[in-house]
Amino acid sequence: MSTENHVNESILNEEIKEWQKKNRIDHMAYLPGMEVLESEVQEKVIASMNNYDYTQYTGADVRRALDHENRTPEDFAALLSPAALPLLEEMAQCAQRETRKHFGNGIYMFTPVYIANYCENFCIYCGFNCHNKINRAKLSEEEIDKEMRAVAQSGLQEVLILTGESRAKSDVEYIGRACEIARRYFKVIGLEVYPMNSDEYAYLHKCGADYVTVFQETYNADKYETLHLAGHKRIFPYRLNSQERALKGGMRGVGFAALLGLDDFRKDAFATGMHAWLLQRKYPHAEIAFSCPRLRPIVNNEKINPMDVHEPQLLQVVTAYRLFMPFASITISTRECARVRDNLVNIAATKISAGVSTGIGEHVEEIEEKGDEQFEISDGRSVEQVYESLLGLNLQPVMSEYLYV
Ligand code: SF4
């Protein structure tokens, strides 16, 4: 496995290395208050990833996988292997057929709303981490209402609420209140917040949240340990079992993602797919979603600019997800430019964000305490522009298909 372009600890300065030595905790041991699930899923995901040797697959394996109507984990493994890259055109055509078969030409639109950017974690690849001196902010209830109202005027009916990961600054009640406010304006509410226990997910579901997305970042626990130096996020198994706790808490859907480029992206994409597949079998009613983020340059750290997941590799991952789990929703975020996003919604992605700002309170002018943006976005198109662009691709923008009776 090549690691030369992967993120590693060498970017840490001496002060932080010293701090880490003193504060290092066992990343595999649950902290007090963290719910421990009696679940076999984690073990199966990690075992399948460890056994995945992508160098053993051939073009014939890939063709066989493409010919199957229902694809197995073995097929998925072949589709993610380097042997599939020369067959990308066939993969894309096959993925496009699957997408149209299950989703028609509909593409769901939504926008993320950042209501706070405080974070207690220390992920070395992220500009929001607790050691980075950025402007932090948290919206009041009144400001959340203004922000949601402003977003709703764009015609969107789905929002994804993000808070950064600080339980102290954005407690569960605060997030619940944000969900209740969002419910006044939107039909579908997603959450991308810190992992929590199943009773807390149940509470947020009662407040109006429909789905929860948690990025595992990497499924390689050893690598994970070197990238997540402090905070609750350091606890690898608690994060990995978030989706299952959310489903136990009654959430309708769960989202999965590895941050492609942090470690060996083929293994991480394979583990992500297996994680989703195993939970789908265990909870057949769950609505499964994938995101496919590639690592981006970040604030205050110019050394991180990973380039090893190029567009063909990204397309390979997205099409492999589609072919393995044809019913899953696949989101393409504004980390990617308009051209890449349009290409992917044309083939396999089914959900696209629009009118995005990763800052706090950016949709309303009179909110003064605006926090810094988490990362640069590459597609700054408005809701209207994305809508028009989808129509131009002969796709149908969908705001929501849920009816509440
Ligand atoms: S990636 Fe998330 S949890 Fe980690 S530092 Fe950034 S905002 Fe915090």
Side-chain angles (χ1 to χ4, degrees):
M1 169 184 98
S2 156
T3 55
E4 60 193 352
N5 287 321
H6 298 154
V7 177
N8 60 49
E9 314 90 302
S10 64
I11 63 168
L12 300 181
N13 65 32
E14 288 311 313
E15 193 188 333
I16 292 179
K17 277 183 187 164
E18 212 32 54
W19 178 91
Q20 196 209 356
K21 261 188 230 155
K22 283 194 213 132
N23 294 280
R24 210 174 182 116
I25 55 169
D26 181 357
H27 66 296
M28 297 305 282
Y30 282 79
L31 296 175
M34 288 182 168
E35 178 183 355
V36 181
L37 277 190
E38 297 300 332
S39 171
E40 68 303 336
V41 172
Q42 177 183 325
E43 207 180 310
K44 286 187 179 171
V45 170
I46 301 302
S48 62
M49 179 186 72
N50 289 342
N51 291 332
Y52 179 36
D53 174 6
Y54 48 72
T55 61
Q56 68 170 348
Y57 295 93
T58 64
D61 297 320
V62 178
R63 287 194 188 285
R64 210 165 18 249
L66 288 176
D67 286 344
H68 287 162
E69 201 164 329
N70 296 307
R71 297 180 183 89
T72 63
E74 195 53 19
D75 292 331
F76 182 47
L79 292 168
L80 280 174
S81 73
L85 269 178
L87 298 167
L88 212 43
E89 177 64 35
E90 286 96 315
M91 270 179 80
Q93 287 181 15
C94 195
Q96 191 184 48
R97 282 195 296 277
E98 289 287 358
T99 311
R100 298 292 160 256
K101 189 158 74 186
H102 299 289
F103 292 85
N105 61 350
I107 302 292
Y108 297 90
M109 291 180 65
F110 76 105
T111 204
V113 178
Y114 288 73
I115 61 169
N117 67 357
Y118 289 92
C119 189
E120 292 159 6
N121 294 321
F122 185 10
C123 312
I124 65 172
Y125 50 84
C126 174
F128 268 27
N129 80 50
C130 63
H131 284 279
N132 244 352
K133 307 247 174 307
I134 61 163
N135 290 322
R136 308 273 176 182
K138 171 184 164 184
L139 298 185
S140 66
E141 285 186 21
E142 196 188 329
E143 288 169 334
I144 294 172
D145 188 278
K146 281 186 185 158
E147 185 82 351
M148 296 294 175
R149 196 177 325 147
V151 172
Q153 277 165 5
S154 67
L156 290 174
Q157 293 182 9
E158 173 174 341
V159 277
L160 175 66
I161 298 173
L162 297 97
T163 57
E165 295 202 14
S166 170
R167 204 178 252 274
K169 290 285 186 183
S170 308
D171 61 22
V172 175
E173 286 70 31
Y174 172 72
I175 298 171
R177 201 58 202 116
C179 292
E180 286 167 352
I181 295 167
R183 262 280 171 242
R184 296 176 191 154
Y185 302 101
F186 300 99
K187 284 191 180 160
V188 181
I189 317 286
L191 288 178
E192 195 174 320
V193 298
Y194 49 86
M196 50 187 75
N197 293 345
S198 53
D199 60 337
E200 294 169 317
Y201 283 127
Y203 169 75
L204 293 179
H205 181 54
K206 225 168 85 192
C207 293
D210 298 290
Y211 68 91
V212 167
T213 290
V214 180
F215 288 13
Q216 184 62 26
E217 321 293 15
T218 176
Y219 284 79
N220 175 351
D222 293 341
K223 187 71 180 185
Y224 187 96
E225 194 268 328
T226 67
L227 300 173
H228 305 97
L229 305 184
H232 55 82
K233 186 168 177 180
R234 184 164 167 78
I235 311 305
F236 177 86
Y238 187 66
R239 195 167 189 90
L240 197 149
N241 287 300
S242 303
Q243 286 89 352
E244 187 160 5
R245 291 194 307 276
L247 291 172
K248 279 184 180 293
M251 289 288 173
R252 199 171 67 210
V254 280
F256 301 79
L259 186 47
L260 304 171
L262 273 185
D263 194 46
D264 184 331
F265 80 91
R266 295 185 195 284
K267 286 207 165 221
D268 270 333
F270 185 67
T272 307
M274 288 305 298
H275 190 184
W277 186 79
L278 286 162
L279 282 183
Q280 181 81 90
R281 285 163 70 95
K282 191 166 174 181
Y283 302 88
H285 64 278
E287 292 177 16
I288 299 291
F290 291 109
S291 300
C292 311
R294 290 193 287 176
L295 200 55
R296 297 272 306 152
I298 60 159
V299 181
N300 292 349
N301 200 327
E302 284 163 13
K303 290 183 190 163
I304 291 183
N305 189 8
M307 298 299 289
D308 59 345
V309 188
H310 303 274
E311 276 180 42
Q313 287 82 2
L314 177 65
L315 179 60
Q316 183 184 7
V317 170
V318 175
T319 52
Y321 285 159
R322 169 61 61 231
L323 293 167
F324 185 40
M325 295 192 65
F327 296 101
S329 159
I330 300 179
T331 305
I332 292 300
S333 88
T334 47
R335 287 167 186 262
E336 301 298 337
C337 67
R339 179 185 55 76
V340 170
R341 297 177 93 210
D342 286 353
N343 189 33
L344 290 172
V345 289
N346 205 21
I347 295 169
T350 48
K351 201 164 176 179
I352 191 165
S353 51
V356 175
S357 162
T358 63
I360 311 298
E362 289 285 343
H363 295 97
V364 180
E365 278 197 4
E366 67 261 35
I367 296 178
E368 285 172 9
E369 288 283 308
K370 297 181 196 284
D372 282 346
E373 304 205 337
Q374 185 177 16
F375 56 84
E376 300 163 26
I377 58 173
S378 298
D379 181 3
R381 287 178 297 173
S382 65
V383 172
E384 210 180 320
Q385 286 170 323
V386 173
Y387 190 100
E388 288 302 322
S389 166
L390 291 174
L391 290 179
L393 293 166
N394 289 324
L395 296 167
Q396 177 60 51
V398 178
M399 297 307 180
S400 166
E401 61 172 14
Y402 291 98
L403 291 176
Y404 295 94
V405 287

